[in-house]
Amino acid sequence: MANDALVIFTPSGKRGRFALGTPVLTAARQLGVDLDSVCGGRGICSKCQITPGYGEFPKHGLTVAADALSDWNPVEERYKRIRGLIDGRRLGCQAKVMGDVVIDVPPESQVHKQVIRKSATERHIEMDPATRAVFVEVQEPDMHEPTGDFERLVQALKDQWQIEGVEAGLDILRRLQPVLRKGEWKATVVLNRGNHDAAHRVLDIFPGFHDGPLYGLAVDLGSTTIAAHLCDLSDGKVLASSGLMNPQIRFGEDLMSRVSYAMMNPGGDVEMTRAVREALDSLARAIAQEAGVEPGAIYEMVIVCNPVMHHLLLGIDPVELGQAPFALATSGSLSLDARDLDLPALNRNARVYVLPCIAGHVGADCAAVALSEEPNKSKDMVLIVDVGTNAEILLGNETRVLACSSPTGPAFEGAQISSGQRAAPGAIERVEIDPATKEPRFKVIGCDLWSTEPGFAEATAQTGITGICGSGIIEAVAEMRMAGLVDPGGLIGSAEQTGTARALPYGRTHSYLLHDASATGGPKIMVTQGDIRAIQLAKSALYAGARLLMDEFGVDKVDRVTLAGAFGAHISPKHAMVLGMIPDVPLDRVTSAGNAAGTGARIALLNRAARDQIEATVHDIHKVETAIEPRFQEHFVNANAIPHAVDPFPELAKIVTLPDVSFNAGGGGGGGERRRRRG
Amino acid sequence: MANDALVIFTPSGKRGRFALGTPVLTAARQLGVDLDSVCGGRGICSKCQITPGYGEFPKHGLTVAADALSDWNPVEERYKRIRGLIDGRRLGCQAKVMGDVVIDVPPESQVHKQVIRKSATERHIEMDPATRAVFVEVQEPDMHEPTGDFERLVQALKDQWQIEGVEAGLDILRRLQPVLRKGEWKATVVLNRGNHDAAHRVLDIFPGFHDGPLYGLAVDLGSTTIAAHLCDLSDGKVLASSGLMNPQIRFGEDLMSRVSYAMMNPGGDVEMTRAVREALDSLARAIAQEAGVEPGAIYEMVIVCNPVMHHLLLGIDPVELGQAPFALATSGSLSLDARDLDLPALNRNARVYVLPCIAGHVGADCAAVALSEEPNKSKDMVLIVDVGTNAEILLGNETRVLACSSPTGPAFEGAQISSGQRAAPGAIERVEIDPATKEPRFKVIGCDLWSTEPGFAEATAQTGITGICGSGIIEAVAEMRMAGLVDPGGLIGSAEQTGTARALPYGRTHSYLLHDASATGGPKIMVTQGDIRAIQLAKSALYAGARLLMDEFGVDKVDRVTLAGAFGAHISPKHAMVLGMIPDVPLDRVTSAGNAAGTGARIALLNRAARDQIEATVHDIHKVETAIEPRFQEHFVNANAIPHAVDPFPELAKIVTLPDVSFNAGGGGGGGERRRRRG
């Protein structure tokens, strides 16, 4: 009888011969099979669960006998009794090879498990987080061979985990001795190693085996909205997503007014820095509460943001970003201690990674969108528009990628809109207006029913109907245009002109009443002439940015468009095209990517290599400066109408009827509707 | 005519041929000649001054013509006019090679200049500090090639100084943009790179060329006294030395009572940590003021201390150091930010290096003594005793070095002594007592005269005569013994027994009046029976430690003794031997090393390689634990008498007469004096 046996691992297909009695975990390690273990094979952590296969494996020409693995042992018995174990599973550290065997490593036992990221195009994120926990047994001190407890911990990490180069700050050194003694010289160590770090940093230490999860926060820090995803660093799962308004809004609604505030008010930048850091800290607390976890278990935060937010977050006066040549203080990625950013909610040793900026007006948020949407890997010409107060626009394909930012203002995020609000339960997010009756129906966040469906009132009784969010205002304005309530110049017609009592006088202009909740003490939700103007300015800026990149690339059309939005509901491609936010393209080539910047942040949080990747990519992205480009102004002015007056949209005409109305100041009576055909 | 020329540098002897027109600095760099430059050859810093030699150089077979270097140029003219230049000197970056020439690099133009350290054995410290300043010209931002200001600074350091790997914290990033613009894209950057650092850290940045000096602080943090040397990091010069009492004394005079305080009082360790950090900070401020420099120009601090002080400084509860196996939280060297130790007096980005500890009772101060005195390089058997509240003792030679610490208590530092005080102006530091008349004479710190010399009263009028420092009490007790005022058991005789009115009743014992300043409102300075007892305990502990190491090494005598003391005056070898502090050895083989621990700290401050060296050496030092060694108690008890009763001192007998008196409780009348002969 042979004294060794063949072990084949699936799904990797790795195989090798091992002496009888070799634990499966040991065999996996020697073959480089991705089998997790936190406790280092001590039967404590259960991360190394495997499923042995028995019987015939013709593919491998192998018959696996029932005794191919050692018998179920007391450690496994105990584990199953106390913590439970799926039938057919074994602990890889306990089960020993006793004959030829096929071993399956289930996905949850893989360290580098793949997480499916839901987005326009489903993509996989390989788990390789910078932060992980390991269990070690530390040698007790010996008076005759004196070394420090920390030095023996370092030695244990080296011997038991082959981890070399370990550093700890004073906080850890301070806690080390009682923790090691409490755990009887066993401890679980939380280690972090960023993509530029030579050494591993000890972020935390627990007595004995600690199997509490480690969390990370991916943050998209926008001018108007701050959105965050709380992720489990072991499996990449998003436990909660939350957002809040950026409190810097009180210093100026758009970026340039915040730069001006800093220039005009000594100490103004310090005030804004404090405001945004406090907001980040409360967001971390809120999202942890929402997920029912301790914020102190958040060990890492990845932040993406535009350059002005970047500087204000770091405490750098943004004044240089307000004037040519728009020099950044630093453009590279940053790895910081969370305490340097005053974030006491997080673990006290938590780390922060900030993605690199591309240029003075094209920030880490744009880099994150590029990481998420990968225009540099696209075969066809893709336009990616990340809609926010400052829109990030990318154009290109695998040959070349261009980027710019465009100051759209906060209208797309529901700010500067009379009934605007951030995306939250109670906010109108979808709107339809019947072209014949001019009557609206809508959906609010937190309820799946249309407002005209039975049960809607009851379903929304708790949240109420509180305002319109970004996607809601885009749909409302586009629907108003399609219903003939608004003319191509953006004017709202009167009740007389439009034939609906919902068109109300509003100062010297008109507004459209979307919903009146005043009977029940709620607000009157209206779209005013001012709202239309704000949306027109915003969409013109967006469109002008996209056109500028197309000019620069030398193309007059794109193959596809990806719309990415700030936190919350997605932007409707059809309505975006009716508004003229994006260039003409077949509707089925317009996709929504949700919060692409946030997704990019999440990828960087879960995978260290992605950080290297985006740091390399940003150097290859060619950046176009809108602020000094005369053609940007030209495109901007020409893009004001709905739809665009000088740039016919044949693709749009195929899917939607735009009424040929005109409500010019002097004009009376609504014009007849007809199917619009051009080109 | 040749188009190149031979250039020979002295004192290095390096030589090479260079194209005519090559600046001397360039030639020096290409040959690896140690010629300083902060401005990088721009004629600003004057660090590259050289002295060309003209005429015959038979040794080199060379005749140097008067036109071997280019003419004196306007940059040099201007420099000489404004800042002055020694005759015969040129600026190496301006003077160009025009013919064969011999160039001398004066010591002050060498980066790695040698600093002579005054001590028992003069030794040289090669300058290679971790902190230095360089001048750079940074490329201006270009909108079309967007990079951050910091990234362009990093590029400039790489291009102009071949410095790779540069990091900066938020404080520097925050200040970078205004500094670069103020300096018109020229800046002086203070860089630090510790012996374990992969990258250089930016500690400070100044607009344009900044020629302010950089300072470092070498600190010997003792249980009783904190001593510091302020050094210029460019030439190693000590600008000021200062000290203060460790404010932790109020929590316990010796180390174990501080450990007890921490154990008995929750939060007691935190209180002690705060106290010592505040003391370090005020010491830094005081020493900078004394030297007339800005404390903000202190960029680095090196600290040596015993393990308990080490833990309390770092904020680590020292409880484990109070019980076997005396485990240190960490034994390795530490590189920290000064702000982690709450030291706001220093530059805000200053770094702190703490030397490694050897064992639970043998600390970084002992490592520093080893670095300074190098017992591991000694041919003969050397005993090094660093006298303090906790004495560090090293014994060995190039084959092997042993170390222990001994809890002497604070008596040798003037504490727990009735008239004791720290070494400061006004303190009695030298004492002589006439064996015939029993009359004393003494010297005080700050005055070169003996108290019996004319002008002494006037010279000390300002400081007064305030007490006795450590070296003073050692001499006083030894002199009292030699004058027959004290018997071998340590009892002070009465006036009747000793024949002097200075022997005063003091409770149930006697004291000796050294100086009475009460007429002028000053104190009565006495040596009491309690003082003698304190010194006896202290010296017994010291002696017992030394004997324990000798036992361990297997030797019964040593070849030489080095006495190192805390801050201030040196210990007199003769008096130390009379007291029985050290084993018997010829008097001329006893040397004083001053504050060896402080010197070790200074070496580590000025030379990065010395840090590597001591980190390696501490692993080879074998440590002996006095606390659990029964023979230590035995030696301690046996060493109580003055001189030691059971261990005859033949060498001592050659140099001093010890009267055979006895003042046992019942005994009357002083015994006659006779030359003491034993062995």
Side-chain angles (χ1 to χ4, degrees):
Chain A
M1 188 181 152
N3 55 5
D4 65 3
L6 177 66
V7 183
I8 300 177
F9 285 94
T10 58
S12 69
K14 289 182 178 170
R15 56 172 66 201
R17 295 200 73 87
F18 292 90
L20 300 187
T22 303
V24 173
L25 178 61
T26 308
R29 286 200 170 161
Q30 289 183 17
L31 291 174
V33 169
D34 181 11
L35 176 56
D36 202 358
S37 171
V38 168
C39 73
R42 292 170 183 83
I44 305 174
C45 74
S46 86
K47 300 274 185 189
C48 64
Q49 292 180 29
I50 47 107
T51 311
Y54 298 100
E56 295 298 323
F57 289 84
K59 184 182 157 197
H60 302 306
L62 205 68
T63 304
V64 179
D67 59 357
L69 291 186
S70 58
D71 284 346
W72 192 249
N73 81 3
V75 173
E76 291 172 297
E77 292 281 7
R78 184 167 176 281
Y79 191 88
K80 178 156 192 162
R81 194 176 68 245
I82 296 173
R83 317 254 316 244
L85 199 59
I86 293 170
D87 282 342
R89 289 271 176 92
R90 299 288 303 267
L91 296 184
C93 60
Q94 302 301 317
K96 297 188 177 68
V97 175
M98 303 306 290
D100 295 347
V101 66
V102 176
I103 303 278
D104 185 58
V105 180
E108 61 269 36
S109 297
Q110 297 168 17
V111 180
H112 297 159
K113 51 185 82 64
Q114 303 249 310
V115 178
I116 293 172
R117 184 172 64 83
K118 294 252 162 44
S119 92
T121 49
E122 283 204 346
R123 204 140 39 86
H124 294 89
I125 305 177
E126 195 191 43
M127 290 300 295
D128 181 19
T131 303
R132 64 165 170 158
V134 296
F135 174 82
V136 283
E137 297 187 45
V138 178
Q139 203 191 312
E140 294 191 35
D142 173 353
M143 197 157 49
H144 304 291
E145 292 294 335
T147 56
D149 284 1
F150 178 66
E151 284 69 21
R152 273 174 280 110
L153 171 67
V154 169
Q155 190 63 44
L157 287 167
K158 187 174 168 183
D159 293 346
Q160 294 161 41
W161 291 98
Q162 294 73 51
I163 292 172
E164 306 232 16
V166 177
E167 290 172 356
L170 289 183
D171 170 65
I172 297 296
L173 294 177
R174 195 175 287 139
R175 286 158 48 203
L176 183 62
Q177 295 199 308
V179 164
L180 288 180
R181 281 151 187 83
K182 190 174 173 201
E184 294 177 329
W185 303 99
K186 296 178 186 66
T188 305
V189 185
V190 179
L191 293 171
N192 173 279
R193 186 179 181 198
N195 59 326
H196 293 299
D197 294 339
H200 296 74
R201 255 166 244 261
V202 180
L203 299 189
D204 213 341
I205 184 159
F206 298 93
F209 179 71
H210 172 82
D211 90 359
L214 315 177
Y215 302 110
L217 210 52
V219 176
D220 174 17
L221 172 54
S223 318
T224 303
T225 312
I226 309 177
H229 304 291
L230 181 72
C231 301
D232 187 318
L233 292 178
S234 68
D235 58 13
K237 203 177 287 174
V238 176
L239 285 97
S241 295
S242 188
L244 46 70
M245 297 301 271
N246 187 331
Q248 289 182 343
I249 289 173
R250 68 174 185 271
F251 304 105
E253 289 194 312
D254 56 43
L255 293 177
M256 283 311 120
S257 51
R258 287 182 213 167
V259 173
S260 303
Y261 184 84
M263 290 171 74
M264 310 300 282
N265 300 277
D269 56 325
V270 178
E271 261 182 291
M272 289 188 278
T273 295
R274 194 185 309 125
V276 71
R277 290 181 178 181
E278 281 171 6
L280 276 182
D281 198 57
S282 13
L283 181 56
R285 257 180 241 279
I287 200 167
Q289 194 176 15
E290 195 184 319
V293 308
E294 274 300 314
I298 303 175
Y299 288 96
E300 216 178 358
M301 191 186 231
V302 169
I303 300 177
V304 304
C305 51
N306 62 55
V308 173
M309 293 310 309
H310 178 272
H311 279 40
L312 286 174
L313 169 71
L314 299 175
I316 300 171
D317 189 333
V319 58
E320 293 301 330
L321 298 174
Q323 59 202 29
F326 312 108
L328 290 155
T330 181
S331 55
S333 69
L334 293 165
S335 290
L336 305 165
D337 285 324
R339 63 175 161 271
D340 287 340
L341 298 180
D342 307 323
L343 300 171
L346 311 192
N347 183 278
R348 60 193 299 172
N349 296 314
R351 297 285 293 167
V352 175
Y353 175 76
V354 184
L355 266 72
C357 289
I358 298 173
H361 281 157
V362 186
D365 47 0
C366 193
V369 172
L371 180 60
S372 166
E373 302 308 314
E374 300 185 322
N376 53 320
K377 294 183 183 170
S378 174
K379 297 269 176 215
D380 48 14
M381 179 68 59
V382 59
L383 175 73
I384 303 164
V385 178
D386 188 49
V387 179
T389 304
N390 208 54
E392 317 300 332
I393 308 174
L394 290 152
L395 175 77
N397 56 26
E398 56 190 6
T399 65
R400 190 172 172 226
V401 175
L402 308 182
C404 74
S405 72
S406 185
T408 48
F412 287 144
E413 295 181 76
Q416 277 186 334
I417 295 294
S418 59
S419 297
Q421 69 157 89
R422 76 178 181 89
I428 294 175
E429 60 167 343
R430 305 283 315 272
V431 176
E432 282 183 4
I433 299 176
D434 186 302
T437 64
K438 322 291 186 201
E439 281 301 295
R441 63 173 193 157
F442 54 84
K443 279 189 175 179
V444 301
I445 296 178
C447 174
D448 286 337
L449 302 171
W450 282 100
S451 57
T452 48
E453 292 180 283
F456 176 81
E458 296 71 24
T460 57
Q462 207 180 346
T463 60
I465 298 159
T466 48
I468 316 181
C469 72
S471 63
I473 190 71
I474 289 171
E475 297 201 0
V477 176
E479 289 282 325
M480 284 169 71
R481 175 72 189 92
M482 289 190 282
L485 295 163
V486 164
D487 73 8
L491 271 180
I492 303 178
S494 63
E496 196 179 41
Q497 287 166 326
T498 59
T500 171
R502 288 186 177 266
L504 302 171
Y506 193 79
R508 294 162 62 179
T509 58
H510 296 94
S511 66
Y512 176 76
L513 182 65
L514 199 55
H515 178 69
D516 186 353
S518 55
T520 58
K524 279 192 183 178
I525 299 175
M526 296 191 293
V527 179
T528 68
Q529 188 61 60
D531 296 342
I532 305 272
R533 290 292 174 233
I535 290 292
Q536 278 180 291
L537 288 174
K539 73 101 184 179
S540 307
L542 207 61
Y543 184 82
R547 283 308 311 243
L548 189 66
L549 292 189
M550 290 165 71
D551 291 353
E552 187 76 22
F553 210 112
V555 294
D556 57 6
K557 65 187 207 54
V558 300
D559 297 322
R560 58 188 179 96
V561 175
T562 298
L563 279 174
F567 186 76
H570 296 178
I571 295 162
S572 148
K574 182 176 87 171
H575 295 94
M577 211 182 301
V578 168
L579 275 189
M581 285 168 67
I582 52 173
D584 203 25
V585 67
L587 192 62
D588 62 1
R589 305 307 311 275
V590 184
T591 51
S592 280
N595 181 6
T599 303
R602 206 150 54 81
I603 297 172
L605 177 65
L606 300 177
N607 186 290
R608 292 169 68 227
R611 301 182 188 182
D612 290 329
Q613 187 188 319
I614 192 58
E615 288 171 23
T617 302
V618 294
H619 287 293
D620 298 332
I621 295 179
H622 178 75
K623 165 260 179 183
V624 177
E625 180 51 67
T626 54
I628 53 144
E629 182 55 70
R631 278 172 307 163
F632 179 79
Q633 286 304 321
E634 211 174 288
H635 286 306
F636 179 77
V637 170
N638 290 338
N640 187 52
I642 313 172
H644 202 276
V646 296
D647 187 25
F649 279 14
E651 287 295 338
L652 180 62
K654 292 179 192 160
I655 51 152
V656 74
T657 300
L658 289 178
D660 184 12
V661 293
S662 169
F663 304 126
N664 288 336
E673 289 176 17
R674 63 177 170 86
R675 179 141 177 96
R676 174 176 162 271
R677 296 194 190 278
R678 300 203 211 183
Chain B
M1 187 180 152
N3 55 6
D4 65 1
L6 177 67
V7 183
I8 300 175
F9 286 94
T10 58
S12 67
K14 289 181 177 170
R15 56 171 68 203
R17 296 200 71 87
F18 293 89
L20 301 187
T22 303
V24 172
L25 178 62
T26 306
R29 287 200 168 164
Q30 290 184 16
L31 291 175
V33 169
D34 182 12
L35 177 55
D36 200 359
S37 171
V38 168
C39 72
R42 293 171 183 83
I44 305 174
C45 73
S46 85
K47 299 273 184 188
C48 65
Q49 292 181 28
I50 47 105
T51 311
Y54 297 100
E56 294 300 323
F57 289 86
K59 181 181 160 198
H60 303 304
L62 205 68
T63 304
V64 179
D67 59 356
L69 291 185
S70 58
D71 283 347
W72 192 251
N73 81 4
V75 173
E76 292 173 295
E77 293 280 8
R78 184 167 174 281
Y79 192 88
K80 178 155 193 162
R81 195 175 69 244
I82 297 173
R83 319 252 318 243
L85 199 58
I86 293 170
D87 282 342
R89 289 270 177 91
R90 299 287 303 265
L91 296 184
C93 60
Q94 301 301 316
K96 298 186 175 69
V97 175
M98 304 304 292
D100 296 347
V101 67
V102 174
I103 302 280
D104 185 58
V105 179
E108 62 268 36
S109 297
Q110 297 169 16
V111 180
H112 298 160
K113 49 184 84 64
Q114 305 251 310
V115 178
I116 293 171
R117 185 171 64 80
K118 294 250 163 45
S119 92
T121 49
E122 284 203 345
R123 205 140 40 84
H124 293 90
I125 306 177
E126 194 191 43
M127 291 298 296
D128 180 19
T131 303
R132 64 165 169 157
V134 296
F135 173 82
V136 283
E137 297 187 46
V138 178
Q139 204 190 311
E140 294 192 33
D142 174 353
M143 197 157 46
H144 304 291
E145 293 294 335
T147 56
D149 283 2
F150 178 65
E151 283 70 21
R152 273 173 280 109
L153 172 67
V154 169
Q155 190 63 44
L157 287 166
K158 187 174 169 186
D159 294 344
Q160 293 160 42
W161 291 98
Q162 294 74 53
I163 292 172
E164 307 231 17
V166 177
E167 290 172 357
L170 289 183
D171 170 64
I172 297 296
L173 293 177
R174 197 174 286 141
R175 286 157 50 204
L176 183 63
Q177 295 200 309
V179 164
L180 289 180
R181 281 152 188 83
K182 190 175 172 199
E184 294 176 331
W185 303 98
K186 296 175 185 68
T188 304
V189 184
V190 179
L191 293 170
N192 173 280
R193 188 179 179 196
N195 58 327
H196 293 298
D197 294 339
H200 297 75
R201 255 167 244 262
V202 179
L203 299 189
D204 213 342
I205 182 160
F206 298 92
F209 179 71
H210 172 82
D211 136 22
L214 315 177
Y215 302 109
L217 211 51
V219 176
D220 174 16
L221 172 55
S223 318
T224 304
T225 312
I226 310 176
H229 304 290
L230 181 73
C231 300
D232 187 319
L233 292 178
S234 67
D235 58 13
K237 203 178 287 175
V238 176
L239 284 95
S241 295
S242 188
L244 45 70
M245 296 304 268
N246 188 332
Q248 289 182 342
I249 289 173
R250 69 174 184 272
F251 304 105
E253 288 194 313
D254 56 42
L255 293 178
M256 284 310 121
S257 52
R258 286 182 214 167
V259 173
S260 304
Y261 184 86
M263 289 171 74
M264 309 300 282
N265 299 278
D269 56 326
V270 178
E271 259 182 292
M272 288 189 278
T273 296
R274 194 183 310 123
V276 71
R277 290 180 178 181
E278 281 171 5
L280 276 183
D281 198 59
S282 18
L283 181 56
R285 257 179 240 280
I287 200 168
Q289 193 176 17
E290 193 184 321
V293 308
E294 272 301 313
I298 302 175
Y299 287 96
E300 216 176 357
M301 191 184 232
V302 169
I303 300 176
V304 305
C305 51
N306 61 55
V308 174
M309 292 311 309
H310 178 270
H311 279 39
L312 286 174
L313 170 70
L314 298 175
I316 301 172
D317 189 333
V319 58
E320 294 300 330
L321 298 174
Q323 59 202 28
F326 313 107
L328 289 156
T330 181
S331 55
S333 70
L334 292 164
S335 289
L336 304 165
D337 285 323
R339 64 176 160 271
D340 287 340
L341 298 180
D342 307 324
L343 300 170
L346 312 191
N347 183 278
R348 61 191 300 171
N349 297 314
R351 298 284 294 166
V352 174
Y353 176 77
V354 184
L355 265 72
C357 289
I358 297 173
H361 282 157
V362 186
D365 47 0
C366 193
V369 172
L371 180 60
S372 165
E373 302 308 315
E374 299 184 322
N376 53 320
K377 295 184 182 169
S378 174
K379 297 269 177 218
D380 48 14
M381 182 66 60
V382 60
L383 175 73
I384 303 165
V385 179
D386 188 47
V387 179
T389 304
N390 208 53
E392 316 299 335
I393 309 175
L394 290 152
L395 174 77
N397 56 26
E398 57 191 4
T399 67
R400 189 169 171 229
V401 175
L402 308 181
C404 73
S405 72
S406 186
T408 47
F412 287 144
E413 295 181 76
Q416 279 185 330
I417 296 295
S418 59
S419 297
Q421 71 157 88
R422 76 176 180 90
I428 293 175
E429 60 166 343
R430 304 284 315 273
V431 176
E432 282 183 3
I433 300 176
D434 186 303
T437 65
K438 321 290 186 202
E439 281 301 293
R441 64 174 194 157
F442 55 84
K443 278 189 175 178
V444 301
I445 296 177
C447 174
D448 286 336
L449 301 171
W450 283 98
S451 57
T452 48
E453 291 179 283
F456 177 80
E458 296 73 20
T460 57
Q462 208 181 345
T463 61
I465 298 159
T466 49
I468 316 182
C469 72
S471 63
I473 190 70
I474 289 171
E475 297 201 0
V477 176
E479 290 282 327
M480 284 168 71
R481 175 74 191 93
M482 288 190 282
L485 295 162
V486 163
D487 74 9
L491 272 180
I492 303 178
S494 64
E496 198 179 38
Q497 288 166 326
T498 60
T500 170
R502 287 186 177 265
L504 303 171
Y506 193 78
R508 294 163 63 179
T509 59
H510 297 93
S511 68
Y512 176 74
L513 182 65
L514 199 55
H515 178 68
D516 185 354
S518 56
T520 57
K524 279 191 183 177
I525 299 176
M526 296 190 295
V527 178
T528 68
Q529 187 61 57
D531 298 341
I532 305 270
R533 289 293 174 232
I535 290 291
Q536 277 179 290
L537 288 174
K539 73 103 183 178
S540 307
L542 205 63
Y543 184 82
R547 283 308 310 242
L548 189 66
L549 292 189
M550 290 165 71
D551 290 353
E552 186 76 22
F553 209 112
V555 293
D556 58 6
K557 65 186 206 54
V558 301
D559 298 322
R560 58 187 178 95
V561 174
T562 298
L563 280 173
F567 187 77
H570 295 177
I571 295 161
S572 146
K574 181 176 87 171
H575 294 94
M577 212 181 302
V578 169
L579 275 189
M581 285 168 66
I582 52 175
D584 204 25
V585 68
L587 192 62
D588 62 1
R589 304 305 313 273
V590 183
T591 51
S592 281
N595 180 7
T599 302
R602 205 149 56 80
I603 295 173
L605 176 66
L606 300 176
N607 186 290
R608 292 171 67 226
R611 301 183 188 181
D612 291 329
Q613 187 188 319
I614 192 59
E615 288 171 23
T617 302
V618 293
H619 288 291
D620 298 332
I621 294 180
H622 178 75
K623 163 259 177 181
V624 177
E625 180 53 66
T626 54
I628 53 144
E629 182 54 71
R631 279 172 305 164
F632 179 79
Q633 286 304 321
E634 210 173 290
H635 285 307
F636 179 77
V637 170
N638 291 339
N640 186 52
I642 312 173
H644 202 278
V646 297
D647 187 25
F649 279 14
E651 287 294 338
L652 180 61
K654 292 179 193 161
I655 53 154
V656 73
T657 301
L658 289 179
D660 183 11
V661 293
S662 170
F663 305 128
N664 290 335
E673 289 178 18
R674 61 175 171 87
R675 176 129 180 106
R676 173 176 164 272
R677 296 194 190 277
R678 301 205 210 179

